Amino acid sequence: MANVSKKVSWSSRDEDTAQGEDTPLLNGASAVRYTRQFSGSSIFHIGRLSTVDLEEENSEEEGAVLSRPKEIPHNEKLLSLKYESLDYDNSENQLFLEEERRMSQMGFKCLEISRWVVCGLIGLLTGLIACVIDIVVENLAGFKYHVVKQNIEKFTEVGGLSITLILWAVLNSAFVLVGSVLVAFFEPIAAGSGIPQIKCYLNGVKVPRVVRLKTLMVKVGGVICSVAGGLAVGKEGPMIHSGAVVAAGVSQGRSTSLKKDFKIFEYFRRDTEKRDFVSAGAAAGVSAAFGAPVGGVLFSLEEGASFWNQMLTWRIFFASMMSTFTLNFFLSIYNEKPGDLSNPGLINFGRFDSDSVEYNLYEIPLFICMGAIGGLLGALFNVLNYWLTIFRIRYIHRPCLQVMEAMLVAAVTATVSFTMIYFSNDCQPLGPDQSEEYPLQLFCDDGEYNSMATAFFNTPERSVRSLFHNPPGSYNPLTLGMFTLSYFFLACWTYGLTVSAGVFIPSLLIGAAWGRLFGILLAAITSSGSIWADPGKYALIGAAAQLGGIVRMTLSLTVIMVEATGNVTYGLPIMLVLMTAKIVGDYFVEGLYDIHIKLHSVPFLHWEAPATSHSLTAREVMSSPVTCFSRIEKVGTIVDILSNTSTNHNGFPVVPGVGDDNEPGRICGLILRSQLIVLLKHKVFVERARSRLQQRRLQLKDFRDAYPRFPPIQSIHVSQDERECMMDLTQFMNPTPYTVPQETSLPRVFKLFRALGLRHLVVIDHENRVVGLVTRKDLARYHLGKHGLEEMQLAQT
């Protein structure tokens, strides 16, 4: 293998790379080792590595091989430089302040009304999308199960059930083929549930293409095919992502993909406003999936949003209510029951009757034990999925291989399901109170059905409902044990495929199965089994424990389960179970979403800085030296700095003037790359203003029209004469950027940066001179490891 030379740039780069949007993450070409370099022996330069450029000098023979790598190297100790940050902090320049001061009290009230209108539209459209998904999935899955059921009944007596197995596998693979091709070849960001990506977005990370219209279309089509294809997946995660995309689009009043501008909601075309609406969209997705408006608000607060305010709570709740009402209204019309709005959402768990909602205080310790089991099984699930994801990153990185793996899993799922049903002898009487949608008789007597088929031969949502509500004796322990074991590994293998799919429902199904088994065994080993009542309540507790052990949600999941089942009585036990599952699971490994965020090297900022980081100061973690601009700067200098691909700055402190001695100047403002590009595009030069060539004064509307896809600097044409012009940055820069002294401790810097949603934090000395710049990756690279505080390296992974 050819030698790999490393070029290390020690500069004041912002954590972002302006050209990283179209470059997929983890697409390296060869195995390399990343080394750490220090500038001299001064502690002032700790952690200053900004970019690692891999320049490979390969022979022609090696080049042909390396162009199509069999393995992509992956090192989770690296932090990717390919992610940009969002500008959640408003730039209070002269243009912004003038607009705000001109706006009357009535104008601000109209803006508040517009926010409510946007939230209502978000809920309405999210509910409509959920309705379409539900109707199409039920029809496609119904068609598939009807065909397979007819085939089983045809060949049960005459033989030839192998034909049924092949038919089932082919149908599954065909649906999954369509869904995986959509994701792998058209929009890879639509893979998975989308919840980790939305968490990152709301945390302040700009994940490329995560809220595009194309992503929404692929997400909807992909999840329909995944669920109809019989994979161990659910619709809830993609619904959350879909709601977020709807919110991002509606709130802007235009579609950049379709190049259609409706000239409405222009005030909301900035990251700060967009973030709040995306929070509402995520909550509306939860509400549509589970029929849980309050749970949706709490989910957005607990798992999604990194920033919150009181008014946002009510607007998000309104969006969630609109989503649930819209879904139920249109589903009732579709089901020809226009007056019946009882369906709580996509995931209809059904209501527990009064006999099954009672529990005794002496059962609380049993519930807590079930929470511990859920934490252990959740940790096992996460560890197995972690290593499986590492394998996929390294070896299954080509789209064709990803599609083949998805089809393989679909075929294996059908094979396992058929085998389990075929060899099961759990026959139950088919009474009038049975709610099975597709009961299979197979080798059972007349008037009986195969109980294993109830779990496998159904959509996961219907299987969960049957485990919750079927009467005692509907399943024998062996059936539940075998189903739990097989579905656990199928779900673990499935999550992370290149398909649109969620993990909520598979987790609930696994937990409901072993929870019901727990209840049956409890009744069997005690002298008076009747005191343990309906095993359905243990299915509910097990479902909550398993899901909590995998995703580590507590308060929001409690409310979701209570709202989805109509069981306020079980609020306390579910909360205790989820807290126990989280504590036990966190002892071994992180939650599933956090694991996948870390595996993709995203600079995610958690709520608090590492506990042992007080020994570090801003001087030690900042990037330096800093590239600054003068208040009145030469156009050629600005163009050259913005075009410098080795640094790709996105934020520049502004000083009164930069001298030849390279001494740091006193801070007087901060200006962003995006602002400079708009100024260059409109040629806002001092000379043009003096010669009256400037047709009109630049306004905030010009910046909003360019948002969010600001043109690259390469598309800005500046002549040689224009390079000699000057640009006055005074009215466009933020004159009051946040600054910290260089001796500020890392936890204090982290708290300020995280709480205010900053993108840049200027570090100054005692004379207010710029000495460094703290960005997201400067903070995200410090974490607690096995040996205390550890520092990740930054690289163009």
Side-chain angles (χ1 to χ4, degrees):
M1 181 176 175
N3 293 328
V4 178
S5 62
K6 304 176 184 63
K7 176 183 175 183
V8 182
S9 171
W10 303 83
S11 63
S12 69
R13 55 95 190 96
D14 174 56
E15 75 280 17
D16 316 317
T17 55
Q19 301 165 344
E21 179 160 333
D22 295 327
T23 306
L25 184 65
L26 303 172
N27 65 341
S30 60
V32 296
R33 291 181 300 169
Y34 298 94
T35 61
R36 185 65 185 274
Q37 298 186 15
F38 295 90
S39 177
S41 58
S42 173
I43 194 172
F44 183 78
H45 293 283
I46 287 181
R48 220 62 47 77
L49 180 60
S50 63
T51 59
V52 179
D53 299 325
L54 306 180
E55 300 176 350
E56 302 187 11
E57 300 174 356
N58 303 318
S59 63
E60 294 182 1
E61 295 80 8
E62 289 175 326
V65 176
L66 292 177
S67 62
R68 294 180 178 272
K70 293 183 178 180
E71 176 185 355
I72 287 183
H74 178 67
N75 185 350
E76 62 184 277
K77 298 299 182 183
L78 295 178
L79 208 59
S80 176
L81 287 172
K82 293 187 179 297
Y83 288 107
E84 296 185 17
S85 282
L86 296 164
D87 293 301
Y88 282 168
D89 181 46
N90 289 324
S91 178
E92 292 192 347
N93 53 24
Q94 290 184 17
L95 297 183
F96 177 82
L97 293 177
E98 288 173 5
E99 181 185 80
E100 295 291 306
R101 289 164 183 165
R102 285 196 305 266
M103 193 174 297
S104 64
Q105 184 178 0
M106 181 58 66
F108 283 109
K109 288 183 178 179
C110 290
L111 281 177
E112 187 63 24
I113 293 173
S114 297
R115 291 188 178 96
W116 284 89
V117 171
V118 170
C119 287
L121 290 174
I122 290 169
L124 176 67
L125 293 176
T126 303
L128 286 174
I129 291 173
C131 183
V132 170
I133 291 176
D134 190 51
I135 292 173
V136 176
V137 165
E138 288 299 322
N139 281 276
L140 289 179
F143 167 77
K144 183 188 75 172
Y145 289 127
H146 181 70
V147 170
V148 174
K149 184 174 184 293
Q150 283 186 328
N151 211 269
I152 289 177
E153 292 172 348
K154 176 181 177 181
F155 291 106
T156 298
E157 295 183 2
V158 300
L161 281 174
S162 57
I163 299 176
T164 302
L165 170 59
I166 296 173
L167 175 65
W168 195 352
V170 168
L171 287 174
N172 273 15
S173 300
F175 283 122
V176 173
L177 171 64
V178 176
S180 59
V181 166
L182 284 174
V183 173
F185 288 96
F186 291 94
E187 196 54 87
I189 195 65
S193 66
I195 295 178
Q197 290 89 337
I198 297 302
K199 282 188 66 173
C200 293
Y201 184 92
L202 295 175
N203 188 257
V205 181
K206 183 180 180 181
V207 182
R209 310 182 67 83
V210 72
V211 288
R212 296 279 183 87
L213 177 62
K214 184 179 177 182
T215 303
L216 174 63
M217 297 173 66
V218 172
K219 198 82 178 184
V220 171
V223 71
I224 289 172
C225 294
S226 300
V227 178
L231 293 177
V233 299
K235 299 174 283 192
E236 70 305 316
M239 270 310 308
I240 295 168
H241 191 178
S242 299
V245 179
V246 168
V250 170
S251 64
Q252 304 304 290
R254 66 176 177 186
S255 172
T256 51
S257 300
L258 300 178
K259 295 181 174 58
K260 180 66 175 177
D261 193 341
F262 298 99
K263 303 296 182 182
I264 57 175
F265 309 136
E266 294 180 347
Y267 184 85
F268 303 143
R269 294 177 185 176
R270 47 181 168 152
D271 288 337
T272 310
E273 298 282 352
K274 194 174 181 179
R275 170 198 68 202
D276 292 344
F277 291 120
V278 169
S279 298
V286 173
S287 182
F290 293 98
V294 178
V297 175
L298 293 176
F299 172 86
S300 192
L301 173 61
E302 181 181 7
E303 282 295 305
S306 298
F307 314 97
W308 203 261
N309 63 64
Q310 187 176 13
M311 285 305 299
L312 184 61
T313 303
W314 290 107
R315 290 201 300 270
I316 289 180
F317 180 69
F318 176 60
S320 299
M321 289 292 295
M322 280 294 297
S323 176
T324 303
F325 176 80
T326 302
L327 172 65
N328 294 344
F329 177 76
F330 284 100
L331 283 181
S332 67
I333 294 177
Y334 174 77
N335 295 324
E336 297 181 349
K337 298 178 181 179
D340 182 14
L341 300 179
S342 59
N343 181 29
L346 287 182
I347 319 302
N348 187 354
F349 290 145
R351 305 288 173 174
F352 280 73
D353 58 47
S354 58
D355 293 334
S356 62
V357 298
E358 298 295 334
Y359 71 92
N360 299 294
L361 289 178
Y362 55 78
E363 290 181 284
I364 294 294
L366 295 176
F367 295 155
I368 293 176
C369 290
M370 294 180 70
I373 295 172
L376 290 172
L377 291 178
L380 176 62
F381 185 100
N382 293 355
V383 169
L384 293 176
N385 190 262
Y386 165 81
W387 289 111
L388 182 59
T389 304
I390 290 287
F391 178 83
R392 284 175 173 144
I393 290 173
R394 290 177 175 172
Y395 298 102
I396 311 177
H397 46 81
R398 299 182 192 172
C400 56
L401 293 177
Q402 294 168 342
V403 172
M404 291 173 62
E405 185 198 15
M407 293 179 64
L408 173 64
V409 175
V412 170
T413 301
T415 303
V416 170
S417 302
F418 182 85
T419 304
M420 299 285 283
I421 295 172
Y422 183 85
F423 287 103
S424 173
N425 58 359
D426 186 6
C427 296
Q428 301 293 337
L430 187 59
D433 57 340
Q434 300 296 329
S435 59
E436 279 67 32
E437 190 74 16
Y438 309 103
L440 286 179
Q441 181 180 352
L442 206 59
F443 301 117
C444 296
D445 296 333
D446 292 339
E448 294 183 338
Y449 70 99
N450 188 299
S451 184
M452 182 70 81
T454 305
F456 274 116
F457 202 67
N458 251 324
T459 57
E461 294 83 5
R462 292 183 181 276
S463 299
V464 171
R465 190 162 65 247
S466 67
L467 287 168
F468 281 176
H469 297 289
N470 277 13
S474 299
Y475 300 89
N476 67 36
L478 181 61
T479 297
L480 293 173
M482 294 300 295
F483 174 80
T484 300
L485 185 65
S486 59
Y487 206 82
F488 180 92
F489 289 105
L490 285 175
C492 186
W493 188 12
T494 303
Y495 189 79
L497 290 176
T498 311
V499 295
S500 298
V503 75
F504 270 58
I505 293 303
S507 304
L508 291 172
L509 183 52
I510 295 167
W514 69 254
R516 191 175 179 103
L517 174 62
F518 184 90
I520 293 174
L521 296 179
L522 197 63
I525 61 177
T526 56
S527 57
S528 178
S530 60
I531 64 172
W532 307 111
D534 191 346
K537 68 179 177 182
Y538 292 97
L540 173 64
I541 297 298
Q546 184 65 53
L547 181 54
I550 292 176
V551 301
R552 311 293 160 77
M553 293 163 53
T554 52
L555 181 60
S556 59
L557 185 54
T558 300
V559 177
I560 288 172
M561 296 295 291
V562 167
E563 288 186 281
T565 59
N567 252 344
V568 181
T569 308
Y570 275 87
L572 175 62
I574 290 176
M575 173 56 78
L576 293 175
V577 164
L578 291 175
M579 290 177 61
T580 305
K582 177 176 173 57
I583 293 171
V584 173
D586 284 343
Y587 180 80
F588 297 99
V589 70
E590 294 177 297
L592 188 63
Y593 299 143
D594 292 328
I595 287 175
H596 279 260
I597 289 173
K598 183 179 293 186
L599 283 174
H600 286 81
S601 305
V602 180
F604 187 89
L605 295 181
H606 295 278
W607 290 105
E608 299 286 346
T612 60
S613 60
H614 281 83
S615 59
L616 294 175
T617 64
R619 179 167 58 92
E620 297 171 277
V621 303
M622 68 185 183
S623 301
S624 68
V626 182
T627 301
C628 297
F629 284 130
S630 299
R631 188 188 293 268
I632 299 179
E633 188 61 82
K634 190 176 179 181
V635 172
T637 302
I638 295 176
V639 172
D640 291 340
I641 291 177
L642 295 183
S643 302
N644 187 355
T645 57
S646 66
T647 54
N648 283 321
H649 307 295
N650 282 269
F652 304 90
V654 180
V655 296
V658 180
D660 296 333
D661 54 0
N662 289 327
E663 284 293 322
R666 295 178 183 273
I667 180 75
C668 66
L670 182 75
I671 195 162
L672 303 177
R673 165 185 285 267
S674 58
Q675 295 173 313
L676 291 170
I677 286 178
V678 173
L679 295 179
L680 289 172
K681 179 181 178 181
H682 290 272
K683 300 188 184 302
V684 186
F685 307 149
V686 174
E687 289 77 5
R688 289 172 63 91
R690 290 173 180 172
S691 62
R692 298 184 179 180
L693 292 176
Q694 190 76 24
Q695 296 181 358
R696 64 176 179 84
R697 185 169 179 265
L698 211 62
Q699 299 176 348
L700 274 182
K701 184 180 186 303
D702 298 294
F703 295 91
R704 289 168 180 161
D705 287 343
Y707 175 86
R709 303 186 196 179
F710 295 98
I713 185 62
Q714 290 78 10
S715 67
I716 307 298
H717 301 288
V718 179
S719 67
Q720 192 62 37
D721 291 338
E722 290 173 334
R723 288 178 59 88
E724 301 301 320
C725 294
M726 305 299 290
M727 185 183 292
D728 189 351
L729 307 179
T730 303
Q731 63 177 328
F732 306 107
M733 70 181 186
N734 181 6
T736 56
Y738 291 100
T739 62
V740 292
Q742 56 185 340
E743 298 303 327
T744 307
S745 67
L746 175 59
R748 193 172 184 83
V749 172
F750 189 99
K751 185 179 297 184
L752 180 65
F753 195 98
R754 176 68 164 74
L756 297 177
L758 302 182
R759 186 176 185 180
H760 312 94
L761 185 60
V762 183
V763 182
I764 57 175
D765 62 11
H766 64 283
E767 295 183 359
N768 210 34
R769 294 179 300 187
V770 179
V771 295
L773 199 67
V774 174
T775 60
R776 171 175 293 271
K777 290 188 178 67
D778 293 322
L779 300 176
R781 69 172 183 258
Y782 293 98
H783 70 104
L784 282 177
K786 296 180 179 178
H787 307 289
L789 189 65
E790 296 179 352
E791 180 182 357
M792 292 185 285
Q793 297 183 16
L794 309 179
Q796 298 282 3
T797 55

